[in-house]
Amino acid sequence: MVKQVRENRPRSVHAWVAYELGTRIVTGYYEPGAYIPNEATIGEELNVSRTALREAFKILTAKGLIESRPKLGTRVRPREFWNMFDSDVLRWCFDSTPSPEFLRSLFEVREMIEPNSAALAAKRATDEQIVAIEKAYHAMEGAEPGTEEVIHTDIEFHMAILRATNNEFMVSLGESIKTALMGLFRISSSKEAAYQASLPGHYAVFLGIRDRDSERARFEMKSLLTKSSHKALDHLAEDEGSKVDVAV
């Protein structure tokens, strides 16, 4: 069955083709190891030129999603070669309704990074950086439920903590996964009650950092992430009309 083609094309045709094919790949419509139909077939289906297709293939190749094989065609690479920190790949995954396994993997990465970052911030943050974290928290409190402000203030809180580590690699990593955080927060904070319930946990993290208690900051961040992961997986299960295992 031919997949229905989306009509919301961006200004750049090749970028739209990359999005269309990219979402097909991350959802398993084209499975790892499978060959993508030839240029003539794809071009006719998407109603685009071969030039646009080739530019899109370059984008997907750079992200590790596909590879060209002489005399055989273009095939999807195994997931282990995909650049999962790439903002486009992350966006395609979230636009296509992420799987529970995908969400667990993201939270596992966060659990390796953010509790340690909170502990490091408690030791290294300048007074100005602590004020910035507090300001970010109060912005979360004042965000209007159900708006993009909820997402952006939450991201700023976590980014402020990463910046307060004064470790350039932590900050860079945070920027790399910002798209993932945005997608996660849209799921875990989609309901007003869930968002309001998360505020005390965020404040507890701030207090640990403000009081220069690194172990407390680490513990509170880990607790916050555990609760967030359960909420995200529960909300995903509700959207899919089924129950998923929320163990992390």
Side-chain angles (χ1 to χ4, degrees):
M1 181 177 66
V2 176
K3 184 176 181 290
Q4 183 178 2
V5 177
R6 297 173 178 83
E7 295 299 331
N8 56 330
R9 300 189 182 192
R11 293 178 183 178
S12 169
V13 176
H14 68 265
W16 174 80
V17 175
Y19 172 83
E20 181 65 28
L21 297 180
T23 54
R24 294 185 184 192
I25 291 170
V26 300
T27 58
Y29 182 80
Y30 297 139
E31 296 181 347
Y35 284 90
I36 295 175
N38 62 42
E39 290 182 357
T41 301
I42 290 289
E44 182 178 355
E45 179 191 345
L46 301 183
N47 192 27
V48 295
S49 68
R50 289 195 175 189
T51 300
L53 274 176
R54 288 168 183 168
E55 289 300 314
F57 284 168
K58 289 180 182 178
I59 293 173
L60 298 175
T61 299
K63 299 177 188 302
L65 271 63
I66 62 173
E67 63 180 349
S68 296
R69 299 174 66 85
K71 299 182 180 180
L72 292 176
T74 301
R75 75 170 184 174
V76 179
R77 302 185 76 191
R79 287 182 71 97
E80 64 193 82
F81 295 107
W82 299 0
N83 181 1
M84 296 305 298
F85 286 109
D86 181 88
S87 59
D88 287 331
V89 175
L90 288 167
R91 189 176 300 111
W92 298 337
C93 288
F94 279 106
D95 284 354
S96 307
T97 306
S99 68
E101 293 74 24
F102 174 80
L103 292 184
R104 287 192 197 95
S105 294
L106 275 178
F107 273 108
E108 285 170 355
V109 171
R110 292 186 68 191
E111 286 179 354
M112 286 187 283
I113 298 169
E114 294 192 70
N116 291 326
S117 295
L120 198 56
K123 294 178 180 178
R124 292 185 176 178
T126 64
D127 291 342
E128 291 78 12
Q129 287 171 330
I130 289 177
V131 169
I133 296 171
E134 182 177 22
K135 182 179 179 181
Y137 170 76
H138 287 307
M140 286 185 66
E141 278 189 319
E144 183 179 352
T147 67
E148 285 293 298
E149 186 181 10
V150 167
I151 309 300
H152 292 298
T153 55
D154 203 343
I155 288 175
E156 178 53 30
F157 177 84
H158 289 272
M159 290 301 300
I161 292 174
L162 289 173
R163 287 192 289 268
T165 65
N166 290 298
N167 181 307
E168 59 186 352
F169 291 98
M170 287 289 194
V171 177
S172 180
L173 187 57
E175 290 292 337
S176 296
I177 65 173
K178 188 181 288 187
T179 300
L181 294 179
M182 187 171 294
L184 286 173
F185 294 160
R186 282 201 172 94
I187 296 173
S188 62
S189 303
S190 59
K191 296 182 179 179
E192 180 178 353
Y195 180 69
Q196 293 295 330
S198 75
L199 291 175
H202 285 82
Y203 191 64
V205 173
F206 161 68
L207 290 179
I209 295 173
R210 185 199 66 181
D211 296 343
R212 305 290 183 180
D213 188 335
S214 59
E215 289 309 311
R216 178 181 167 196
R218 188 197 313 276
F219 172 81
E220 296 296 354
M221 179 62 84
K222 184 172 177 57
S223 297
L224 177 63
L225 293 179
T226 298
K227 293 175 183 177
S228 296
S229 67
H230 284 216
K231 289 176 185 175
L233 288 165
D234 281 345
H235 291 172
L236 181 63
E238 290 174 9
D239 290 341
E240 294 179 345
S242 61
K243 185 69 176 176
V244 298
D245 178 14
V246 296
V248 292

